[in-house]
């Protein structure tokens, strides 16, 4: 959600800003805008896609060597032109902002008493006027920004330009990501590395409380008090081609198809090194030897991965494990245990609720933390003592697919490694788990070959308004993930339940218009699940069953069966989620929704 791009150069920066915004479209937004310093201030804002902003900038012949740009996902105020960023104040000061300023109403009243006129409903306009009120007394833009920051409460990534400083770009961050891109004689700013990969791979990630002053001759970084700090330069492994759609109709379709390769990349080190603590960091062996429980913190799809891991941890590693919704954990008065390993899961590593939950756990005295993440330079990785990178590659579609399956693989590797360190893993079981990981990419490719059958199911689902998903044991979280995928991109209301809970309420919903999807692997709970499905059939419900080859299900009227490849045992959840992704995708396509940018949702939720 919300994207920032900035640039200072000796060439027209408008194409740089527009290209950066286009590469941030996957994050979700409802308006866009830019401000260019060129002897004066040119501001262009639009509702809708970046392409509209680009056309408007071309029509108005906007150009200049310093500028900031923004995609906004509405929080304070409706998505309209007057609420779109950048926001302006006196003396040609322009500001863009990600995050939420919690005390903006108090500051707004104070600034109104100083005769500042507000044109928007946003918290961001407060920042613009506050910076100017500080700037007016001494005309030092960097000092004015620091003085303004000292009065803000909340989370922010801020970029500021001023017409009186034609080659100067100021920025700051607290709680929202921000980075500097290093070019040849020019510099860039962005909230996401993806925005800059067409310009540079040399990047510098700002830390909490950093303030950066960028000119054509270089940059300086200080804290809010003005004390100098230094940050290391990183080489991003993202490539411009990774963000290209290619022959696919949607990024979600592309990312579903990329799962065999993403899984293979994620397990490469595991297959090479084995289930060893070094996979998670140099200090992992000491941490793993000392822990006596695990708490996993995550949101959305990543929380479903955590729920699967709970089953694995207790079954294989024999260690107590809880999975917690990050946004709830951070406000719950939990009992700290210094021997608990806090595991956080996030595709972007910038999920605000997950970061805050980790900070809460650390404040309670939890010393050991491990981040499972797809972005090596992310805040969550930097905040954790241990980490495992999923190597899924860039994921652009809002509905997570390959990030989820690679998170499961990472959590499985963690589970088996813990079992080995704890001395509860037999050598033959270890060899079996390694073979299962080795086979997994090929097995997922076989599941992808079921796509034509799932397209036929989608033809039926597209006409429905509700759906029910069922699973048992470790496959209940997979049912939850299937229902989430369907609702978020097709807008069909969907719910998921443990199949044994049907008779405790959900069965009342079942009729011929309520499709019921069942995840039915040939495991120890299959017999119980079959009984649950008979309850649906007896009420006239229409069943859609994902069954293994040897599960002995037969298609019949109102009973649709797709046969999966041979049962993959403990890694079955990875395989069974893929057809649910395809079902959701093709159902959404049939209904004509915006698959990659579903309404009201954003890819990286960086505000609470």
């Amino acid at each position: 959600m919300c994207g920032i791009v900035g640039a200072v150069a000796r060439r027209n920066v408008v194409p740089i800003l527009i290209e950066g915004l286009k590469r941030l479209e996957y994050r979700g937004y409802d308006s866009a805008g830019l401000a260019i310093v060129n002897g004066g201030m040119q501001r262009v804002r639009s509702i809708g896609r970046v392409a509209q902003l680009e056309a408007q900038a071309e029509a108005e012949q906007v150009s200049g060597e310093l500028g900031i740009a923004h995609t906004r996902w509405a929080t304070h105020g409706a998505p309209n032109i007057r609420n779109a960023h950048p926001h302006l104040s006196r003396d040609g000061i322009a500001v863009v902002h990600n995050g939420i300023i919690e005390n903006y109403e108090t500051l707004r009243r104070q600034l109104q008493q100083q005769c500042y006129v507000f044109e928007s409903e946003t918290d961001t306009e407060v920042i613009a006027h506050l910076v100017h009120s500080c700037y007016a007394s001494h005309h030092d833009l960097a000092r004015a920004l620091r003085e303004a920051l000292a009065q803000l409460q909340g989370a922010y990534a801020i970029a500021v330009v001023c017409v009186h400083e034609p080659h100067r770009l100021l920025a700051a961050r607290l709680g929202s990501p921000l980075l500097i891109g290093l070019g040849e004689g020019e510099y860039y700013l962005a909230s996401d590395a993806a925005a800059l990969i067409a310009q540079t791979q040399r990047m510098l990630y700002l830390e909490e409380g950093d303030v950066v002053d960028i000119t054509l001759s270089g940059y300086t970084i200080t804290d809010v008090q003005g004390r100098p700090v230094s940050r290391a330069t990183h080489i991003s492994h993202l490539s411009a081609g990774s963000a290209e759609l290619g022959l696919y109709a949607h990024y979600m379709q592309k990312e579903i198809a990329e799962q065999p390769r993403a899984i293979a990349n994620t397990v490469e080190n595991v297959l090479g090194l084995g289930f060893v603590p070094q996979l998670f960091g140099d200090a992992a062996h000491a941490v793993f030897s000392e822990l006596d429980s695990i708490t996993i913190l995550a949101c959305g799809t990543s929380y479903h991965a955590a729920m699967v891991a709970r089953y694995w941890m207790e079954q294989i590693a024999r260690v107590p494990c809880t999975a917690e919704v990050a946004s709830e954990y951070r406000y719950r008065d939990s009992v700290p245990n210094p021997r608990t390993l806090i595991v956080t899961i996030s595709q972007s590593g910038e999920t605000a609720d997950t970061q805050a939950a980790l900070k809460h756990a650390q404040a309670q005295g939890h010393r050991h933390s491990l981040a499972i993440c797809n972005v090596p330079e992310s805040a969550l990785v930097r905040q954790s003592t241990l980490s495992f990178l999923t190597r899924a590659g860039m994921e652009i579609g809002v509905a997570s697919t390959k990030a989820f399956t690679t998170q499961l693989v990472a959590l499985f590797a963690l589970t088996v490694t813990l079992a080995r360190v704890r001395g509860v893993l037999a050598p033959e079981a270890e060899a079996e788990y390694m073979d299962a990981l080795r086979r997994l990419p090929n097995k997922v490719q076989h599941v992808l070959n079921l796509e034509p059958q799932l397209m036929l199911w989608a033809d039926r689902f597209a006409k429905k308004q509700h759906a029910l998903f069922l699973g048992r044991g470790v496959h209940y979280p997979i049912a939850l993930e299937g229902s989430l995928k369907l609702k978020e991109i097709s807008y069909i209301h969907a719910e998921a339940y443990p199949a044994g809970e049907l008779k405790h309420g959900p069965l009342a919903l079942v009729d011929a218009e309520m499709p019921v999807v069942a995840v039915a692997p040939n495991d120890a709970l299959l017999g119980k699940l079959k009984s649950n499905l008979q309850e649906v059939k007896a009420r006239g419900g229409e069943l859609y069953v994902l069954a293994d080859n040897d599960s002995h299900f037969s298609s019949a009227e109102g009973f649709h069966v797709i046969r999966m490849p041979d049962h993959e045992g403990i890694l079955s959840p990875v395989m069974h989620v893929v057809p649910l992704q395809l079902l959701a995708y093709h159902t959404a396509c049939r209904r004509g929704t915006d698959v990659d940018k579903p309404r009201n949702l954003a890819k990286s939720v960086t505000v609470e």
Side-chain angles (χ1 to χ4, degrees), residues 164-187:
H164 301 301
E165 308 274 1
H167 286 98
R168 194 178 191 191
L169 175 60
L170 275 293
R173 71 148 291 187
L174 183 70
S176 289
L178 202 60
L179 59 96
I180 304 169
L182 309 178
E184 298 298 328
E186 56 191 36
Y187 296 88

Side-chain angles (χ1 to χ4, degrees), residues 503-522:
K503 55 187 173 292
H504 297 294
L507 200 57
L509 297 172
V510 171
D511 60 20
E513 293 303 310
M514 171 75 82
V516 179
V517 180
V519 182
N522 190 12

Side-chain angles (χ1 to χ4, degrees), residues 49-269:
R49 297 303 180 206
V50 172
Q52 296 170 250
L53 179 71
E54 180 179 26
Q56 191 174 338
E58 289 178 358
E60 298 182 22
Q61 298 183 320
V62 178
S63 67
E65 298 179 348
L66 171 67
I68 52 177
H70 191 265
T71 50
R72 176 178 186 255
W73 193 81
T75 53
H76 296 76
N80 55 38
I81 291 292
R82 66 191 182 96
N83 288 329
H85 299 211
H87 290 286
L88 305 183
S89 189
R90 302 169 192 169
D91 282 326
I93 289 176
V95 169
V96 293
H97 161 233
N98 290 352
I100 291 178
I101 305 304
E102 296 173 356
N103 63 331
Y104 85 100
E105 291 176 322
T106 299
L107 293 172
R108 185 183 181 110
R109 287 192 294 270
Q110 293 173 359
L111 289 162
Q112 285 172 330
Q113 291 172 4
Q114 298 174 37
C115 299
Y116 284 94
V117 177
F118 284 80
E119 298 178 351
S120 77
E121 305 166 79
T122 68
D123 54 342
T124 302
E125 193 176 3
V126 165
I127 302 172
H129 293 319
L130 188 59
V131 169
H132 178 267
S133 71
C134 299
Y135 179 77
S137 63
H138 47 65
H139 290 86
D140 181 335
L141 192 59
R143 177 182 167 188
L145 176 58
R146 291 195 300 270
E147 290 172 351
L149 296 176
Q151 301 178 59
L152 300 180
Q153 298 173 13
Y156 53 75
I158 299 169
V160 183
V161 294
C162 176
V163 294
H164 301 301
E165 308 274 1
H167 286 98
R168 194 178 191 191
L169 175 60
L170 275 293
R173 71 148 291 187
L174 183 70
S176 289
L178 202 60
L179 59 96
I180 304 169
L182 309 178
E184 298 298 328
E186 56 191 36
Y187 296 88
Y188 324 103
L189 190 74
S191 53
D192 188 321
L196 303 182
I197 56 176
Q199 311 301 329
T200 184
Q201 289 184 297
R202 296 171 59 227
M203 300 180 187
L204 184 150
Y205 292 82
L206 299 181
E207 299 288 352
E208 294 286 84
D210 283 355
V211 182
V212 62
D213 187 347
I214 305 172
T215 66
L216 285 172
S217 59
Y219 61 87
T220 58
I221 305 174
T222 68
D223 60 17
V224 175
Q225 286 74 41
R227 295 178 295 233
V229 297
S230 61
R231 302 296 176 219
T233 300
H234 297 269
I235 304 300
S236 174
H237 297 291
L238 294 176
S239 67
S242 65
E244 302 300 328
L245 191 55
L247 298 176
Y248 294 95
H250 300 93
Y251 282 106
M252 184 178 179
Q253 183 187 30
K254 176 176 182 276
E255 288 152 12
I256 291 172
E258 287 174 342
Q259 287 177 114
R261 172 51 53 193
I263 291 170
N265 289 341
T266 301
V267 302
E268 183 179 5
N269 285 344

Side-chain angles (χ1 to χ4, degrees), residues 7-55:
V8 56
R10 294 201 181 277
R11 58 177 172 135
N12 181 19
V13 299
V14 172
I16 298 173
L17 301 181
I18 292 293
E19 173 69 17
L21 292 185
K22 287 181 177 179
R23 293 184 180 275
L24 294 182
E25 287 190 288
Y26 76 96
R27 294 170 68 94
Y29 68 104
D30 42 49
S31 63
L34 56 82
I36 300 295
V37 174
N38 57 1
M41 180 76 72
Q42 288 182 287
R43 178 175 62 165
V44 181
R45 298 181 293 177
S46 71
I47 301 300
R49 297 303 180 206
V50 172
Q52 296 170 250
L53 179 71
E54 180 179 26

